[in-house]
Amino acid sequence: MSASGHAGAPREADVARARELLGEERRSIDNIDAALVHLLAERFSHTQRVGLLKAEHGLPPADPAREQQQIERLRSLADAAGLDPTFAEAFMRFIVTEVIRHHERIRHEGAAGA
Ligand SMILES: O=C(O)C(=O)C[C@]1(C(=O)O)C=C[C@@H](O)C=C1
């Protein structure tokens, strides 16, 4: 079925319009992906400082209680925003696992040399 509602081969004009809409959506997707990269870079620059503080003061790299609070908060935000909370939790855990790996590296390399 074409956009005009008829069965059979799609009309050229409908396909052209669909391609135009696809291009517009992709431009927005590219902008959002760029924002995500910048936000993640900003987040990692803060967690890097947290890692240094933790290493300098002998605090453990991971804080499971804090993670639990973050996950509950994000699940609730995701739900309100129409995003799958299970996906939001998995995404958060993926990021935090990487942050903890950075914290451990800073601790093992010595905070001063990081
Ligand atoms: O808040 C901390 O203590 C952090 O190290 C940051 C962070 C995070 O990425 O949000 C990472 C590891 C901890 O387990 C909890 C949270």
Side-chain angles (χ1 to χ4, degrees), residues 43 47 50 54 61-63 66-67 70 96 99-100 103:
R43 191 183 197 284
T47 57
V50 169
K54 286 184 168 184
D63 184 339
R66 164 76 176 147
E67 287 175 32
Q70 288 169 290
V96 169
V99 170
I100 292 169
H103 287 357

Side-chain angles (χ1 to χ4, degrees), residues 9-55:
R11 283 179 53 233
E12 228 172 88
D14 291 339
V15 176
R17 179 67 188 136
R19 287 194 192 287
E20 205 174 283
L21 291 172
L22 180 62
E24 281 168 22
E25 296 298 347
R26 284 180 173 170
R27 269 192 296 282
S28 295
I29 289 167
D30 285 346
N31 285 341
I32 292 165
D33 288 347
L36 282 175
V37 165
H38 286 111
L39 286 171
L40 277 173
E42 194 64 18
R43 191 183 197 284
F44 274 100
S45 81
H46 287 283
T47 57
Q48 205 69 8
R49 286 197 279 280
V50 169
L52 283 169
L53 273 174
K54 286 184 168 184

